[in-house]
């Protein structure tokens, strides 16, 4: 039964003091306690009734409520008989931990509430228990081992008439029931993924109800075995739990076209079983990635330590059949670098970025988990590096018309990932050009890293840049330290500024115009309305004051950069 149903039962005398957004939680039992720590007797989903005898002063509320929240109880109901009004410190603690709080009128006995809850829960469970057990048995025997997530979704469609899809955190369609009808449009998948990530970051319990274009969906998280829900707000989790930021950018989700808020517990339990079966498939795929990760790590170490191209080429020949089975010719390669940064530094960014790249470096039009098997990703520190093979026939234009493009990649992942990053995370991506041999791999890695730094200099939670954007050295200026920039510009321009201030000579405007005219005396003199001899005098004075020669390309470039940085 739902908390909302309890509140609507006048005979129970319950008054809501906080947690209106959580009234769709299921109640699976009831417990009365005045222990300061009742957690050992809780299994989750209970309505906890208390007379507040455990409370001695205002500091007791926070630890009591925290223990209840960690145990996963559905709500707390406090009696008014002992203290009259419910203390404000208890209301605040429940709000902080997103635990619904009810006040029980002094005229209502806890036994009355207990009897009502037990009767409702027992009656609902008795009705569908046999069918639920049968469906679970069928799904366990016909699940992922017999055909992947699609088989489980087919059972949902045939048995329960539910249309359902498995989505990646960026909205890529991983699986869908054959009886689900047309596939979800790509934009709908991305919007559902964004809603799911946003709800996950706020700490709300699944399933999450979403209304999209007039259709209601319920979104269920798919967590690998051993993953536990994290603390609300994306902060550190309770002791023993994982931080949500470790997996939020890579966990799959199950989208069901239905409103699960009025479902009985048995149906919800069934859907939770479905997510567990799909999680088995997810874990199988993650285990298979171990080989590809090791290959990527070995190649990366060879490249970064300056190994001979022949040694790198030999390692790539080993990697190619694993990543592109049946490939006749050696592939071309692209490198993608990603960095995930969280404020506070409590979560290591490298593994998060590695899992993220393994999810997003897949053709958005491809379905199923198999295409991701072509991606080999290593991580070092807070950086993840993907080695992406391209069939040689697809890379014949040096990657200019095929492979991964930074703008396309950014467009496909920006909105959902921004929701998952909330206000404390950032993802930056850099994409290299395609290279044809081991000799070019080191340059591709540096190119991808430089592109990522260009992306990092831009505003936004999710940014990407490609090798095409490295053509201008101006883009590298944001990465020069401030003290170096100041020293560089002062050394070149301060003598000219001082001279202009004393003599009103306009050497700085003359220098800007001269460079803008590509060193053409005639065009520059015309632009400044000067005689060519006057211009030559000014340029000569600039060279005399700075010790530079404006006929030399290197000195022209230094002046150009100094003016841009000033």
């Amino acid at each position: 039964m739902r908390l909302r149903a309890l509140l609507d039962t006048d005979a129970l005398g319950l008054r809501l003091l906080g947690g209106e957004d959580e009234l769709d939680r299921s109640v699976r039992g009831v417990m009365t306690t005045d222990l300061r720590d009742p957690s050992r007797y809780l299994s989750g989903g209970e309505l906890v009734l208390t007379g507040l005898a455990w409370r001695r002063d205002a500091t007791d509320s926070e630890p009591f409520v925290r223990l209840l929240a960690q145990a996963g109880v559905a709500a707390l109901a406090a009696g008014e008989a002992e203290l009259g009004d419910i203390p404000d410190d208890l209301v605040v603690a429940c709000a902080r931990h997103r635990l619904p709080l009810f006040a029980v009128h002094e005229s209502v006995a806890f036994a009355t509430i207990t009897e009502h809850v037990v009767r409702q829960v027992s009656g609902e469970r008795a009705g569908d228990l046999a069918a639920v057990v049968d469906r679970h048995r069928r799904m366990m025997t016909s699940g992922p081992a017999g055909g992947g997530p699609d088989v489980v979704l087919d059972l949902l469609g045939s048995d329960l008439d539910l249309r359902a899809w498995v989505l990646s955190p960026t909205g890529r369609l991983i699986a869908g029931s054959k009886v689900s009808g047309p596939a979800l449009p790509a934009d709908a998948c991305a919007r559902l993924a964004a809603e799911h990530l946003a709800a996950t970051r706020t700490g709300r319990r699944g399933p999450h109800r979403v209304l999209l274009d007039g259709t209601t969906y319920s979104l269920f998280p798919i967590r690998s075995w051993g993953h536990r829900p994290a603390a609300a707000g994306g902060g550190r989790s309770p002791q023993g739990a994982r931080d949500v930021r470790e997996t939020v950018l890579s966990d799959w989700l199950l989208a069901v076209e239905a409103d699960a808020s009025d479902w009985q517990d048995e149906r919800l339990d069934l859907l939770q079983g479905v997510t567990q079966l799909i999680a088995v498939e997810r874990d199988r795929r993650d285990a298979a990635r171990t080989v590809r990760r090791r290959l990527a790590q070995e190649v990366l170490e060879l490249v970064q330590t300056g190994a001979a191209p022949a040694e790198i080429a030999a390692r790539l020949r080993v990697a190619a059949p694993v990543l592109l089975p049946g490939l006749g010719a050696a592939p071309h390669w692209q490198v993608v670098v990603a960095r995930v940064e969280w404020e506070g530094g409590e979560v290591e960014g490298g593994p998060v970025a590695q899992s993220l790249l393994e999810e997003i470096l897949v053709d958005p039009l491809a379905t199923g988990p198999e295409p991701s098997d072509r991606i080999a990703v290593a991580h070092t520190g807070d950086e993840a590096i993907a080695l992406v093979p391209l069939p040689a026939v697809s890379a014949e234009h040096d990657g200019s018309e095929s492979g991964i493009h930074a703008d396309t990649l950014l467009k496909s992942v920006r909105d959902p990932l921004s929701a998952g990053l909330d206000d404390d995370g950032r993802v930056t991506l850099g994409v290299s050009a395609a290279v044809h041999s081991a000799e070019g791999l080191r340059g591709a890695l540096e190119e991808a890293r430089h592109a990522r730094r260009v992306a990092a200099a831009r505003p936004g939670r999710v940014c990407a840049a490609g090798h095409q954007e490295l053509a201008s050295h101006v883009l590298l200026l944001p990465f020069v330290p401030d003290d170096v920039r100041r020293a560089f510009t002062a050394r070149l321009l301060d003598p000219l500024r001082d001279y202009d201030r004393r003599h009103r000579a306009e050497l700085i405007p003359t220098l800007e115009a001269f460079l803008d005219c590509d060193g053409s005396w005639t065009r520059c003199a015309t632009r400044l309305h000067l005689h060519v001899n006057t211009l030559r005098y000014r340029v000569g004075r600039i060279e005399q004051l700075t010790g530079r020669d404006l006929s030399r390309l290197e000195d022209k470039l230094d002046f150009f950069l100094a003016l841009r940085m000033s």
Side-chain angles (χ1 to χ4, degrees), residues 390-434:
L390 305 173
V393 294
S394 298
E396 59 186 1
H397 299 292
D398 295 336
S400 60
E401 297 180 11
S402 62
I404 298 169
H405 294 263
D407 53 351
T408 304
L409 183 63
L410 179 62
K411 183 179 179 181
S412 67
V413 304
R414 180 171 48 205
D415 292 344
L417 289 186
S418 295
L421 293 164
D422 197 19
D423 59 354
D424 63 343
R426 193 156 194 256
V427 171
T428 50
L429 302 158
V431 181
S432 79

Side-chain angles (χ1 to χ4, degrees), residues 371-555:
S372 63
D373 292 348
R374 297 182 176 184
I375 309 299
V377 188
H379 78 82
T380 172
D382 285 336
E383 182 182 70
I385 301 166
L387 192 62
V388 183
L390 305 173
V393 294
S394 298
E396 59 186 1
H397 299 292
D398 295 336
S400 60
E401 297 180 11
S402 62
I404 298 169
H405 294 263
D407 53 351
T408 304
L409 183 63
L410 179 62
K411 183 179 179 181
S412 67
V413 304
R414 180 171 48 205
D415 292 344
L417 289 186
S418 295
L421 293 164
D422 197 19
D423 59 354
D424 63 343
R426 193 156 194 256
V427 171
T428 50
L429 302 158
V431 181
S432 79
V435 295
H436 306 166
S437 63
E439 288 85 350
L441 206 55
R442 182 176 302 169
L445 175 59
E446 291 307 312
E447 191 173 59
R449 281 175 165 162
H450 278 305
R452 192 207 62 79
R453 294 188 188 103
V454 169
R458 296 170 176 167
R461 288 287 167 192
V462 184
C463 297
H467 63 95
Q468 303 93 335
E469 301 176 69
L470 300 181
S472 175
H473 50 269
V474 176
L475 290 172
L476 302 179
L477 295 182
F479 311 111
V480 179
D482 289 340
D483 53 342
V484 176
R485 292 161 64 123
R486 286 191 294 268
F488 182 78
T489 57
R491 186 169 62 251
L492 280 178
L493 301 184
D494 279 0
L496 307 182
R497 292 189 181 110
D498 291 340
Y499 190 89
D500 281 348
R501 188 165 51 252
R502 292 196 309 269
H503 302 283
R504 298 182 180 179
E506 298 186 338
L507 295 185
I508 292 289
T510 300
L511 175 62
E512 291 175 332
F514 186 74
L515 294 175
D516 194 47
C517 291
D518 299 322
S520 169
W521 297 100
T522 302
R523 283 195 289 123
C524 184
T526 301
R527 174 181 294 189
L528 295 176
H529 306 290
L530 296 175
H531 193 278
V532 171
N533 289 340
T534 303
L535 176 60
R536 291 184 182 278
Y537 172 83
R538 289 187 182 180
V539 170
R541 179 63 67 183
I542 291 171
E543 294 174 335
Q544 180 185 23
L545 291 171
T546 61
R548 299 299 185 105
D549 182 357
L550 278 169
S551 66
R552 298 178 66 248
L553 177 61
E554 294 87 348
D555 288 341

Side-chain angles (χ1 to χ4, degrees), residues 92 97 118 122 125 145 265 334 343 347 403 420 425 435 499 501 506-507 515:
V92 170
H97 291 278
V118 170
S122 299
R125 285 179 177 168
D265 291 344
Q334 257 184 302
E343 293 179 6
V347 177
V435 295
Y499 190 89
R501 188 165 51 252
E506 298 186 338
L507 295 185
L515 294 175

Side-chain angles (χ1 to χ4, degrees), residues 283-298 322-323 354 358 373 375-378:
D283 288 343
R284 181 204 63 76
R285 188 209 58 174
D286 285 346
R289 282 180 172 172
T290 303
V291 174
R292 298 191 299 279
R293 288 177 171 181
R294 186 171 66 249
L295 285 172
Q297 196 70 45
E298 291 173 355
V322 176
L323 301 177
Q354 182 180 46
E358 288 171 337
D373 292 348
I375 309 299
V377 188

